[in-house]
Amino acid sequence: MEHFNKKVLLYKGSEKVITQSGIGEALRHQKKMLESLNVAYTENPKEDYDVVHLNTILPDSVFMAKKAHSDGKKVIYYGHSTMEDFRNSFRGSNVIAPLFKKWLQYCYRQGDIIVTPTQYSKNILLNYSLNRPIVSLSNGVDTTYFTKVSSNGARFRKQYHLAEDQKVIVSVGHLIERKGILDFLALAKQYPEYLFFWFGHTSKSLMTRTVQNAIKQASANVQFPGFVSSSELRDVYSGSDLFLFMTHEETEGIVLLEALANELPILVRDIPIYREWLPDKTVVYKAATQEGFKKILPLILEKKLPSLTTPGRHAAEQFDLHKVSLDLAIIYKKLFND
């Protein structure tokens, strides 16, 4: 990036809380983007810097924003969360959702500019009366890292002792209703001949009773390996037969971009965020109801529908980290020219 002699602080406060989440991954992506742009950055708030990236809505991020402003620094606040995707998440989330929205408004107003992953999430935040510029910028995906390699897939299948002809369905995310865990488990019961894997970890204390009970009563063809590293996840994508994303609400969905990049067949819920940029039957397959998922799932697995993995890969390439970093460069210029 030419003539950008500013230094970025990637604030990693409360890192332990976010490392096993999409926000933790987004932070890692920002680091790669800065490296791609040759922009100087630090993760140490005690070092000098010109602009800080804030990715969480935890109190220490708000404190960091206030300190940055008092020191004459710029603040980019990433709008990863909305009240809409907070609902149906953790125990008690629906009760406190309106308060959560007020807190979000307070946090995001600390930014000189708000960056949110999609036009869909931008439209939601435009209704939050934030009185700050809001720009959409994908979290991006590393398409050189997430790419289908048969030996990676073989490693995953060997690790889990899977027969060559065993059909494997995977999903990734928190074990919460919003992500579709209840629907996922109900579908697994209807297809005992297929293996279902859910990768991701959520503390039991945060899970609703309904989710806890559903997991306890999960059918024998479901496995919960927990949180795994990105290299293990890459193996999973390369060795599975279908990525099943039954989420009810997202601001983007980094794992979906990863699965697309890895040329894994995709079956996703037909929700507004994916309506335009992931057309049904041309880039991914979609279902709107449980009955729809039940009907389409075996057709994809038994290859009775056309493969969409090549257009899926092309869709992911539009959000490659290198491409996204060029748009981040424009945001920096806007921030300092204004």
Side-chain angles (χ1 to χ4, degrees):
M1 181 178 170
E2 294 171 30
H3 314 305
F4 188 76
N5 57 352
K6 308 289 186 187
K7 190 172 181 181
V8 176
L9 167 62
L10 283 180
Y11 182 63
K12 292 172 75 176
S14 310
E15 189 186 14
K16 285 188 175 71
V17 180
I18 61 159
T19 192
Q20 295 186 2
S21 71
I23 293 174
E25 198 58 34
L27 193 57
R28 289 185 279 276
H29 284 191
Q30 288 161 37
K31 190 188 292 191
K32 286 182 180 176
M33 284 190 252
L34 292 172
E35 287 164 357
S36 170
L37 292 169
N38 290 319
V39 168
Y41 71 89
T42 179
E43 294 170 320
N44 181 359
K46 290 177 180 166
E47 282 185 27
D48 194 30
Y49 65 93
D50 302 285
V51 54
V52 59
H53 285 204
L54 297 174
N55 281 273
T56 81
I57 48 154
L58 296 166
D60 61 302
S61 286
V62 174
F63 174 79
M64 188 68 230
K66 290 183 180 298
K67 185 177 185 312
H69 280 137
S70 70
D71 293 341
K73 315 296 187 186
K74 300 278 191 185
V75 175
I76 294 179
Y77 220 120
Y78 277 81
H80 295 295
S81 302
T82 64
M83 177 185 75
E84 288 72 9
D85 79 353
F86 179 69
R87 286 199 190 106
N88 300 315
S89 293
F90 305 105
R91 188 180 283 183
S93 62
N94 289 8
V95 176
I96 63 167
L99 281 173
F100 182 74
K101 182 180 177 180
K102 283 188 163 51
W103 175 248
L104 283 179
Q105 289 169 312
Y106 179 70
C107 291
Y108 293 159
R109 284 177 190 140
Q110 309 302 319
D112 292 295
I113 195 163
I114 298 153
V115 175
T116 192
T118 53
Q119 186 61 42
Y120 173 78
S121 55
K122 178 181 174 178
N123 290 341
I124 290 174
L125 294 181
L126 284 170
N127 291 316
Y128 278 30
S129 308
L130 299 173
N131 305 316
R132 297 287 183 277
I134 305 171
V135 294
S136 65
L137 178 78
S138 171
N139 289 306
V141 60
D142 188 341
T143 60
T144 54
Y145 185 79
F146 287 101
T147 187
K148 193 173 182 73
V149 177
S150 57
S151 58
N152 291 352
R155 185 164 50 226
F156 159 67
R157 295 185 79 90
K158 186 181 177 188
Q159 184 184 349
Y160 290 93
H161 313 291
L162 304 174
E164 209 171 301
D165 61 348
Q166 176 69 65
K167 300 288 186 193
V168 174
I169 296 151
V170 297
S171 199
V172 184
H174 279 296
L175 296 149
I176 54 179
E177 285 180 47
R178 173 176 66 83
K179 292 284 185 184
I181 181 69
L182 299 180
D183 307 313
F184 182 89
L185 294 175
L187 197 59
K189 280 183 178 162
Q190 296 180 299
Y191 285 109
E193 67 271 35
Y194 302 140
L195 261 185
F196 290 72
F197 282 81
W198 187 290
F199 290 88
H201 171 76
T202 301
S203 168
K204 216 176 212 180
S205 60
L206 294 174
M207 281 185 208
T208 61
R209 191 64 48 82
T210 313
V211 169
Q212 286 185 46
N213 289 339
I215 290 169
K216 265 185 213 155
Q217 292 158 23
S219 46
N221 61 330
V222 181
Q223 293 194 33
F224 298 98
F227 177 82
V228 296
S229 68
S230 60
S231 62
E232 286 176 88
L233 210 45
R234 184 174 55 169
D235 292 354
V236 171
Y237 295 141
S238 284
S240 300
D241 299 285
L242 178 67
F243 184 75
L244 178 60
F245 206 43
M246 301 179 83
T247 182
H248 292 270
E249 181 71 27
E250 291 293 323
T251 52
E252 184 172 49
I254 291 176
V255 292
L256 178 57
L257 289 176
E258 292 170 353
L260 284 164
N262 243 90
E263 296 178 61
L264 182 53
I266 309 284
L267 176 55
V268 66
R269 189 179 299 279
D270 190 359
I271 53 177
I273 186 170
Y274 300 132
R275 209 146 282 164
E276 286 179 25
W277 66 274
L278 291 177
D280 187 22
K281 300 183 186 71
T282 54
V283 179
V284 297
Y285 287 105
K286 294 181 179 179
T289 63
Q290 196 71 3
E291 202 50 45
F293 279 109
K294 186 185 173 187
K295 189 176 162 188
I296 299 169
L297 184 97
L299 298 178
I300 300 172
L301 289 172
E302 308 303 337
K303 297 187 167 49
K304 289 179 180 170
L305 289 172
S307 169
L308 303 177
T309 55
T310 300
R313 170 74 188 181
H314 291 159
E317 284 168 350
Q318 301 312 304
F319 299 97
D320 180 71
L321 286 178
H322 181 68
K323 277 190 179 176
V324 176
S325 70
L326 300 178
D327 293 326
L328 178 60
I330 294 166
I331 291 170
Y332 288 142
K333 282 178 181 166
K334 178 178 168 57
L335 189 62
F336 285 95
N337 290 343
D338 290 355

PDB file of all heavy atoms in Angstrom, residues 55-86:
ATOM      1  N   ASN A  55     -12.632  -5.122  17.941  1.00  0.00           N
ATOM      2  CA  ASN A  55     -13.457  -6.208  17.409  1.00  0.00           C
ATOM      3  C   ASN A  55     -14.490  -6.751  18.385  1.00  0.00           C
ATOM      4  O   ASN A  55     -15.340  -7.543  17.982  1.00  0.00           O
ATOM      5  CB  ASN A  55     -12.559  -7.364  16.958  1.00  0.00           C
ATOM      6  CG  ASN A  55     -11.925  -7.097  15.610  1.00  0.00           C
ATOM      7  OD1 ASN A  55     -12.502  -7.382  14.568  1.00  0.00           O
ATOM      8  ND2 ASN A  55     -10.734  -6.522  15.616  1.00  0.00           N
ATOM      9  N   THR A  56     -14.398  -6.388  19.656  1.00  0.00           N
ATOM     10  CA  THR A  56     -15.378  -6.920  20.613  1.00  0.00           C
ATOM     11  C   THR A  56     -16.193  -5.791  21.219  1.00  0.00           C
ATOM     12  O   THR A  56     -15.828  -4.615  21.124  1.00  0.00           O
ATOM     13  CB  THR A  56     -14.720  -7.702  21.770  1.00  0.00           C
ATOM     14  OG1 THR A  56     -14.234  -6.774  22.752  1.00  0.00           O
ATOM     15  CG2 THR A  56     -13.598  -8.595  21.294  1.00  0.00           C
ATOM     16  N   ILE A  57     -17.282  -6.188  21.852  1.00  0.00           N
ATOM     17  CA  ILE A  57     -18.122  -5.193  22.523  1.00  0.00           C
ATOM     18  C   ILE A  57     -18.003  -5.373  24.042  1.00  0.00           C
ATOM     19  O   ILE A  57     -18.905  -5.034  24.791  1.00  0.00           O
ATOM     20  CB  ILE A  57     -19.588  -5.331  22.072  1.00  0.00           C
ATOM     21  CG1 ILE A  57     -20.016  -6.803  22.146  1.00  0.00           C
ATOM     22  CG2 ILE A  57     -19.755  -4.814  20.657  1.00  0.00           C
ATOM     23  CD1 ILE A  57     -21.447  -7.041  22.327  1.00  0.00           C
ATOM     24  N   LEU A  58     -16.853  -5.885  24.452  1.00  0.00           N
ATOM     25  CA  LEU A  58     -16.584  -6.038  25.883  1.00  0.00           C
ATOM     26  C   LEU A  58     -16.111  -4.690  26.451  1.00  0.00           C
ATOM     27  O   LEU A  58     -15.576  -3.852  25.703  1.00  0.00           O
ATOM     28  CB  LEU A  58     -15.542  -7.126  26.101  1.00  0.00           C
ATOM     29  CG  LEU A  58     -16.006  -8.525  25.653  1.00  0.00           C
ATOM     30  CD1 LEU A  58     -14.846  -9.495  25.555  1.00  0.00           C
ATOM     31  CD2 LEU A  58     -17.068  -9.069  26.597  1.00  0.00           C
ATOM     32  N   PRO A  59     -16.291  -4.474  27.740  1.00  0.00           N
ATOM     33  CA  PRO A  59     -15.980  -3.158  28.325  1.00  0.00           C
ATOM     34  C   PRO A  59     -14.550  -2.676  28.071  1.00  0.00           C
ATOM     35  O   PRO A  59     -14.312  -1.477  27.909  1.00  0.00           O
ATOM     36  CB  PRO A  59     -16.237  -3.368  29.822  1.00  0.00           C
ATOM     37  CG  PRO A  59     -17.261  -4.459  29.877  1.00  0.00           C
ATOM     38  CD  PRO A  59     -16.937  -5.371  28.726  1.00  0.00           C
ATOM     39  N   ASP A  60     -13.586  -3.611  28.010  1.00  0.00           N
ATOM     40  CA  ASP A  60     -12.208  -3.160  27.805  1.00  0.00           C
ATOM     41  C   ASP A  60     -12.019  -2.524  26.427  1.00  0.00           C
ATOM     42  O   ASP A  60     -11.179  -1.629  26.257  1.00  0.00           O
ATOM     43  CB  ASP A  60     -11.224  -4.328  27.998  1.00  0.00           C
ATOM     44  CG  ASP A  60     -11.445  -5.461  27.012  1.00  0.00           C
ATOM     45  OD1 ASP A  60     -12.561  -6.003  26.984  1.00  0.00           O
ATOM     46  OD2 ASP A  60     -10.510  -5.791  26.261  1.00  0.00           O
ATOM     47  N   SER A  61     -12.825  -2.939  25.435  1.00  0.00           N
ATOM     48  CA  SER A  61     -12.742  -2.322  24.107  1.00  0.00           C
ATOM     49  C   SER A  61     -13.260  -0.887  24.141  1.00  0.00           C
ATOM     50  O   SER A  61     -12.706  -0.001  23.492  1.00  0.00           O
ATOM     51  CB  SER A  61     -13.538  -3.141  23.084  1.00  0.00           C
ATOM     52  OG  SER A  61     -12.840  -4.321  22.760  1.00  0.00           O
ATOM     53  N   VAL A  62     -14.332  -0.672  24.905  1.00  0.00           N
ATOM     54  CA  VAL A  62     -14.878   0.683  25.046  1.00  0.00           C
ATOM     55  C   VAL A  62     -13.853   1.580  25.742  1.00  0.00           C
ATOM     56  O   VAL A  62     -13.616   2.722  25.315  1.00  0.00           O
ATOM     57  CB  VAL A  62     -16.207   0.655  25.845  1.00  0.00           C
ATOM     58  CG1 VAL A  62     -16.709   2.065  26.132  1.00  0.00           C
ATOM     59  CG2 VAL A  62     -17.259  -0.129  25.060  1.00  0.00           C
ATOM     60  N   PHE A  63     -13.220   1.048  26.779  1.00  0.00           N
ATOM     61  CA  PHE A  63     -12.184   1.795  27.492  1.00  0.00           C
ATOM     62  C   PHE A  63     -11.044   2.141  26.531  1.00  0.00           C
ATOM     63  O   PHE A  63     -10.525   3.256  26.523  1.00  0.00           O
ATOM     64  CB  PHE A  63     -11.663   0.955  28.668  1.00  0.00           C
ATOM     65  CG  PHE A  63     -10.495   1.583  29.389  1.00  0.00           C
ATOM     66  CD1 PHE A  63     -10.689   2.614  30.304  1.00  0.00           C
ATOM     67  CD2 PHE A  63      -9.192   1.158  29.127  1.00  0.00           C
ATOM     68  CE1 PHE A  63      -9.600   3.203  30.946  1.00  0.00           C
ATOM     69  CE2 PHE A  63      -8.102   1.737  29.757  1.00  0.00           C
ATOM     70  CZ  PHE A  63      -8.312   2.769  30.682  1.00  0.00           C
ATOM     71  N   MET A  64     -10.670   1.165  25.681  1.00  0.00           N
ATOM     72  CA  MET A  64      -9.586   1.369  24.715  1.00  0.00           C
ATOM     73  C   MET A  64      -9.956   2.473  23.720  1.00  0.00           C
ATOM     74  O   MET A  64      -9.115   3.308  23.365  1.00  0.00           O
ATOM     75  CB  MET A  64      -9.320   0.051  23.971  1.00  0.00           C
ATOM     76  CG  MET A  64      -8.101   0.063  23.081  1.00  0.00           C
ATOM     77  SD  MET A  64      -6.539   0.167  23.978  1.00  0.00           S
ATOM     78  CE  MET A  64      -5.745   1.516  23.117  1.00  0.00           C
ATOM     79  N   ALA A  65     -11.221   2.475  23.272  1.00  0.00           N
ATOM     80  CA  ALA A  65     -11.688   3.499  22.327  1.00  0.00           C
ATOM     81  C   ALA A  65     -11.585   4.884  22.950  1.00  0.00           C
ATOM     82  O   ALA A  65     -11.104   5.839  22.320  1.00  0.00           O
ATOM     83  CB  ALA A  65     -13.132   3.209  21.912  1.00  0.00           C
ATOM     84  N   LYS A  66     -12.027   4.996  24.204  1.00  0.00           N
ATOM     85  CA  LYS A  66     -11.993   6.299  24.890  1.00  0.00           C
ATOM     86  C   LYS A  66     -10.547   6.772  25.082  1.00  0.00           C
ATOM     87  O   LYS A  66     -10.241   7.947  24.898  1.00  0.00           O
ATOM     88  CB  LYS A  66     -12.729   6.205  26.230  1.00  0.00           C
ATOM     89  CG  LYS A  66     -14.245   6.056  26.056  1.00  0.00           C
ATOM     90  CD  LYS A  66     -14.949   6.043  27.392  1.00  0.00           C
ATOM     91  CE  LYS A  66     -16.448   5.892  27.248  1.00  0.00           C
ATOM     92  NZ  LYS A  66     -17.106   6.989  26.519  1.00  0.00           N
ATOM     93  N   LYS A  67      -9.689   5.847  25.436  1.00  0.00           N
ATOM     94  CA  LYS A  67      -8.275   6.201  25.615  1.00  0.00           C
ATOM     95  C   LYS A  67      -7.660   6.640  24.285  1.00  0.00           C
ATOM     96  O   LYS A  67      -6.923   7.633  24.215  1.00  0.00           O
ATOM     97  CB  LYS A  67      -7.506   4.994  26.181  1.00  0.00           C
ATOM     98  CG  LYS A  67      -6.048   5.332  26.500  1.00  0.00           C
ATOM     99  CD  LYS A  67      -5.302   4.177  27.110  1.00  0.00           C
ATOM    100  CE  LYS A  67      -3.898   4.580  27.540  1.00  0.00           C
ATOM    101  NZ  LYS A  67      -3.137   5.319  26.518  1.00  0.00           N
ATOM    102  N   ALA A  68      -7.983   5.907  23.220  1.00  0.00           N
ATOM    103  CA  ALA A  68      -7.453   6.255  21.891  1.00  0.00           C
ATOM    104  C   ALA A  68      -7.878   7.663  21.492  1.00  0.00           C
ATOM    105  O   ALA A  68      -7.056   8.471  21.041  1.00  0.00           O
ATOM    106  CB  ALA A  68      -7.942   5.236  20.860  1.00  0.00           C
ATOM    107  N   HIS A  69      -9.149   7.974  21.699  1.00  0.00           N
ATOM    108  CA  HIS A  69      -9.636   9.309  21.339  1.00  0.00           C
ATOM    109  C   HIS A  69      -8.962  10.393  22.167  1.00  0.00           C
ATOM    110  O   HIS A  69      -8.593  11.450  21.646  1.00  0.00           O
ATOM    111  CB  HIS A  69     -11.162   9.379  21.487  1.00  0.00           C
ATOM    112  CG  HIS A  69     -11.895   8.779  20.332  1.00  0.00           C
ATOM    113  ND1 HIS A  69     -13.002   7.973  20.475  1.00  0.00           N
ATOM    114  CD2 HIS A  69     -11.666   8.847  18.997  1.00  0.00           C
ATOM    115  CE1 HIS A  69     -13.416   7.575  19.282  1.00  0.00           C
ATOM    116  NE2 HIS A  69     -12.623   8.090  18.377  1.00  0.00           N
ATOM    117  N   SER A  70      -8.783  10.114  23.453  1.00  0.00           N
ATOM    118  CA  SER A  70      -8.144  11.123  24.323  1.00  0.00           C
ATOM    119  C   SER A  70      -6.684  11.340  23.924  1.00  0.00           C
ATOM    120  O   SER A  70      -6.119  12.404  24.147  1.00  0.00           O
ATOM    121  CB  SER A  70      -8.253  10.738  25.799  1.00  0.00           C
ATOM    122  OG  SER A  70      -7.436   9.619  26.071  1.00  0.00           O
ATOM    123  N   ASP A  71      -6.081  10.322  23.275  1.00  0.00           N
ATOM    124  CA  ASP A  71      -4.696  10.443  22.796  1.00  0.00           C
ATOM    125  C   ASP A  71      -4.633  10.940  21.346  1.00  0.00           C
ATOM    126  O   ASP A  71      -3.568  10.933  20.732  1.00  0.00           O
ATOM    127  CB  ASP A  71      -3.978   9.083  22.889  1.00  0.00           C
ATOM    128  CG  ASP A  71      -3.771   8.644  24.344  1.00  0.00           C
ATOM    129  OD1 ASP A  71      -3.832   9.505  25.233  1.00  0.00           O
ATOM    130  OD2 ASP A  71      -3.562   7.433  24.573  1.00  0.00           O
ATOM    131  N   GLY A  72      -5.799  11.305  20.794  1.00  0.00           N
ATOM    132  CA  GLY A  72      -5.828  11.836  19.429  1.00  0.00           C
ATOM    133  C   GLY A  72      -5.696  10.772  18.343  1.00  0.00           C
ATOM    134  O   GLY A  72      -5.280  11.067  17.219  1.00  0.00           O
ATOM    135  N   LYS A  73      -6.050   9.528  18.681  1.00  0.00           N
ATOM    136  CA  LYS A  73      -5.949   8.430  17.699  1.00  0.00           C
ATOM    137  C   LYS A  73      -7.317   8.162  17.066  1.00  0.00           C
ATOM    138  O   LYS A  73      -8.350   8.507  17.625  1.00  0.00           O
ATOM    139  CB  LYS A  73      -5.464   7.130  18.370  1.00  0.00           C
ATOM    140  CG  LYS A  73      -4.290   7.294  19.318  1.00  0.00           C
ATOM    141  CD  LYS A  73      -3.032   7.751  18.624  1.00  0.00           C
ATOM    142  CE  LYS A  73      -1.844   7.735  19.592  1.00  0.00           C
ATOM    143  NZ  LYS A  73      -0.636   8.314  18.988  1.00  0.00           N
ATOM    144  N   LYS A  74      -7.292   7.494  15.911  1.00  0.00           N
ATOM    145  CA  LYS A  74      -8.527   7.111  15.218  1.00  0.00           C
ATOM    146  C   LYS A  74      -8.978   5.724  15.677  1.00  0.00           C
ATOM    147  O   LYS A  74      -8.146   4.882  16.056  1.00  0.00           O
ATOM    148  CB  LYS A  74      -8.307   7.072  13.708  1.00  0.00           C
ATOM    149  CG  LYS A  74      -7.859   8.409  13.108  1.00  0.00           C
ATOM    150  CD  LYS A  74      -9.027   9.324  12.877  1.00  0.00           C
ATOM    151  CE  LYS A  74      -8.626  10.538  12.049  1.00  0.00           C
ATOM    152  NZ  LYS A  74      -9.719  11.498  11.918  1.00  0.00           N
ATOM    153  N   VAL A  75     -10.292   5.500  15.599  1.00  0.00           N
ATOM    154  CA  VAL A  75     -10.860   4.222  16.033  1.00  0.00           C
ATOM    155  C   VAL A  75     -11.717   3.614  14.916  1.00  0.00           C
ATOM    156  O   VAL A  75     -12.651   4.260  14.428  1.00  0.00           O
ATOM    157  CB  VAL A  75     -11.727   4.394  17.303  1.00  0.00           C
ATOM    158  CG1 VAL A  75     -12.420   3.077  17.675  1.00  0.00           C
ATOM    159  CG2 VAL A  75     -10.884   4.902  18.470  1.00  0.00           C
ATOM    160  N   ILE A  76     -11.359   2.391  14.514  1.00  0.00           N
ATOM    161  CA  ILE A  76     -12.221   1.608  13.618  1.00  0.00           C
ATOM    162  C   ILE A  76     -12.914   0.567  14.488  1.00  0.00           C
ATOM    163  O   ILE A  76     -12.251  -0.260  15.115  1.00  0.00           O
ATOM    164  CB  ILE A  76     -11.408   0.910  12.508  1.00  0.00           C
ATOM    165  CG1 ILE A  76     -10.785   1.941  11.557  1.00  0.00           C
ATOM    166  CG2 ILE A  76     -12.296  -0.067  11.726  1.00  0.00           C
ATOM    167  CD1 ILE A  76      -9.940   1.334  10.437  1.00  0.00           C
ATOM    168  N   TYR A  77     -14.232   0.641  14.549  1.00  0.00           N
ATOM    169  CA  TYR A  77     -14.987  -0.326  15.353  1.00  0.00           C
ATOM    170  C   TYR A  77     -15.638  -1.332  14.410  1.00  0.00           C
ATOM    171  O   TYR A  77     -16.386  -0.947  13.521  1.00  0.00           O
ATOM    172  CB  TYR A  77     -16.063   0.377  16.201  1.00  0.00           C
ATOM    173  CG  TYR A  77     -16.170  -0.226  17.593  1.00  0.00           C
ATOM    174  CD1 TYR A  77     -15.947   0.532  18.736  1.00  0.00           C
ATOM    175  CD2 TYR A  77     -16.493  -1.577  17.759  1.00  0.00           C
ATOM    176  CE1 TYR A  77     -16.023  -0.028  20.015  1.00  0.00           C
ATOM    177  CE2 TYR A  77     -16.566  -2.142  19.029  1.00  0.00           C
ATOM    178  CZ  TYR A  77     -16.326  -1.367  20.147  1.00  0.00           C
ATOM    179  OH  TYR A  77     -16.409  -1.933  21.396  1.00  0.00           O
ATOM    180  N   TYR A  78     -15.325  -2.601  14.595  1.00  0.00           N
ATOM    181  CA  TYR A  78     -15.895  -3.647  13.748  1.00  0.00           C
ATOM    182  C   TYR A  78     -17.260  -4.062  14.294  1.00  0.00           C
ATOM    183  O   TYR A  78     -17.367  -4.499  15.439  1.00  0.00           O
ATOM    184  CB  TYR A  78     -14.960  -4.857  13.672  1.00  0.00           C
ATOM    185  CG  TYR A  78     -13.868  -4.680  12.637  1.00  0.00           C
ATOM    186  CD1 TYR A  78     -12.723  -3.949  12.931  1.00  0.00           C
ATOM    187  CD2 TYR A  78     -14.003  -5.212  11.357  1.00  0.00           C
ATOM    188  CE1 TYR A  78     -11.725  -3.761  11.973  1.00  0.00           C
ATOM    189  CE2 TYR A  78     -13.010  -5.036  10.397  1.00  0.00           C
ATOM    190  CZ  TYR A  78     -11.879  -4.306  10.706  1.00  0.00           C
ATOM    191  OH  TYR A  78     -10.910  -4.116   9.759  1.00  0.00           O
ATOM    192  N   GLY A  79     -18.274  -3.935  13.454  1.00  0.00           N
ATOM    193  CA  GLY A  79     -19.639  -4.300  13.842  1.00  0.00           C
ATOM    194  C   GLY A  79     -19.932  -5.749  13.505  1.00  0.00           C
ATOM    195  O   GLY A  79     -20.651  -6.040  12.542  1.00  0.00           O
ATOM    196  N   HIS A  80     -19.362  -6.660  14.304  1.00  0.00           N
ATOM    197  CA  HIS A  80     -19.574  -8.094  14.053  1.00  0.00           C
ATOM    198  C   HIS A  80     -20.933  -8.557  14.591  1.00  0.00           C
ATOM    199  O   HIS A  80     -21.463  -9.574  14.145  1.00  0.00           O
ATOM    200  CB  HIS A  80     -18.499  -8.931  14.762  1.00  0.00           C
ATOM    201  CG  HIS A  80     -17.113  -8.714  14.247  1.00  0.00           C
ATOM    202  ND1 HIS A  80     -16.732  -9.060  12.965  1.00  0.00           N
ATOM    203  CD2 HIS A  80     -16.007  -8.191  14.842  1.00  0.00           C
ATOM    204  CE1 HIS A  80     -15.454  -8.758  12.805  1.00  0.00           C
ATOM    205  NE2 HIS A  80     -14.988  -8.227  13.919  1.00  0.00           N
ATOM    206  N   SER A  81     -21.455  -7.823  15.586  1.00  0.00           N
ATOM    207  CA  SER A  81     -22.658  -8.294  16.285  1.00  0.00           C
ATOM    208  C   SER A  81     -23.842  -7.368  16.045  1.00  0.00           C
ATOM    209  O   SER A  81     -23.676  -6.162  15.873  1.00  0.00           O
ATOM    210  CB  SER A  81     -22.403  -8.356  17.792  1.00  0.00           C
ATOM    211  OG  SER A  81     -21.320  -9.202  18.081  1.00  0.00           O
ATOM    212  N   THR A  82     -25.024  -7.960  16.055  1.00  0.00           N
ATOM    213  CA  THR A  82     -26.267  -7.186  16.025  1.00  0.00           C
ATOM    214  C   THR A  82     -27.210  -7.799  17.065  1.00  0.00           C
ATOM    215  O   THR A  82     -27.001  -8.936  17.495  1.00  0.00           O
ATOM    216  CB  THR A  82     -26.944  -7.260  14.641  1.00  0.00           C
ATOM    217  OG1 THR A  82     -27.335  -8.621  14.385  1.00  0.00           O
ATOM    218  CG2 THR A  82     -26.030  -6.757  13.525  1.00  0.00           C
ATOM    219  N   MET A  83     -28.238  -7.048  17.417  1.00  0.00           N
ATOM    220  CA  MET A  83     -29.235  -7.609  18.333  1.00  0.00           C
ATOM    221  C   MET A  83     -29.896  -8.827  17.676  1.00  0.00           C
ATOM    222  O   MET A  83     -30.208  -9.821  18.334  1.00  0.00           O
ATOM    223  CB  MET A  83     -30.303  -6.572  18.674  1.00  0.00           C
ATOM    224  CG  MET A  83     -31.405  -7.104  19.572  1.00  0.00           C
ATOM    225  SD  MET A  83     -32.738  -5.928  19.874  1.00  0.00           S
ATOM    226  CE  MET A  83     -33.600  -5.998  18.302  1.00  0.00           C
ATOM    227  N   GLU A  84     -30.064  -8.735  16.346  1.00  0.00           N
ATOM    228  CA  GLU A  84     -30.745  -9.792  15.610  1.00  0.00           C
ATOM    229  C   GLU A  84     -29.993 -11.122  15.691  1.00  0.00           C
ATOM    230  O   GLU A  84     -30.609 -12.183  15.801  1.00  0.00           O
ATOM    231  CB  GLU A  84     -30.923  -9.367  14.139  1.00  0.00           C
ATOM    232  CG  GLU A  84     -31.960  -8.270  13.923  1.00  0.00           C
ATOM    233  CD  GLU A  84     -31.541  -6.866  14.413  1.00  0.00           C
ATOM    234  OE1 GLU A  84     -30.361  -6.659  14.795  1.00  0.00           O
ATOM    235  OE2 GLU A  84     -32.406  -5.980  14.420  1.00  0.00           O
ATOM    236  N   ASP A  85     -28.655 -11.081  15.637  1.00  0.00           N
ATOM    237  CA  ASP A  85     -27.937 -12.358  15.709  1.00  0.00           C
ATOM    238  C   ASP A  85     -27.561 -12.733  17.142  1.00  0.00           C
ATOM    239  O   ASP A  85     -26.996 -13.799  17.376  1.00  0.00           O
ATOM    240  CB  ASP A  85     -26.731 -12.405  14.747  1.00  0.00           C
ATOM    241  CG  ASP A  85     -25.488 -11.689  15.241  1.00  0.00           C
ATOM    242  OD1 ASP A  85     -25.553 -11.024  16.289  1.00  0.00           O
ATOM    243  OD2 ASP A  85     -24.452 -11.792  14.567  1.00  0.00           O
ATOM    244  N   PHE A  86     -27.917 -11.863  18.091  1.00  0.00           N
ATOM    245  CA  PHE A  86     -27.723 -12.186  19.505  1.00  0.00           C
ATOM    246  C   PHE A  86     -28.904 -13.016  20.024  1.00  0.00           C
ATOM    247  O   PHE A  86     -28.748 -13.858  20.903  1.00  0.00           O
ATOM    248  CB  PHE A  86     -27.584 -10.895  20.314  1.00  0.00           C
ATOM    249  CG  PHE A  86     -27.396 -11.109  21.790  1.00  0.00           C
ATOM    250  CD1 PHE A  86     -26.226 -11.665  22.294  1.00  0.00           C
ATOM    251  CD2 PHE A  86     -28.391 -10.748  22.695  1.00  0.00           C
ATOM    252  CE1 PHE A  86     -26.051 -11.865  23.666  1.00  0.00           C
ATOM    253  CE2 PHE A  86     -28.224 -10.933  24.063  1.00  0.00           C
ATOM    254  CZ  PHE A  86     -27.046 -11.485  24.543  1.00  0.00           C
TER     255      PHE A  86
END
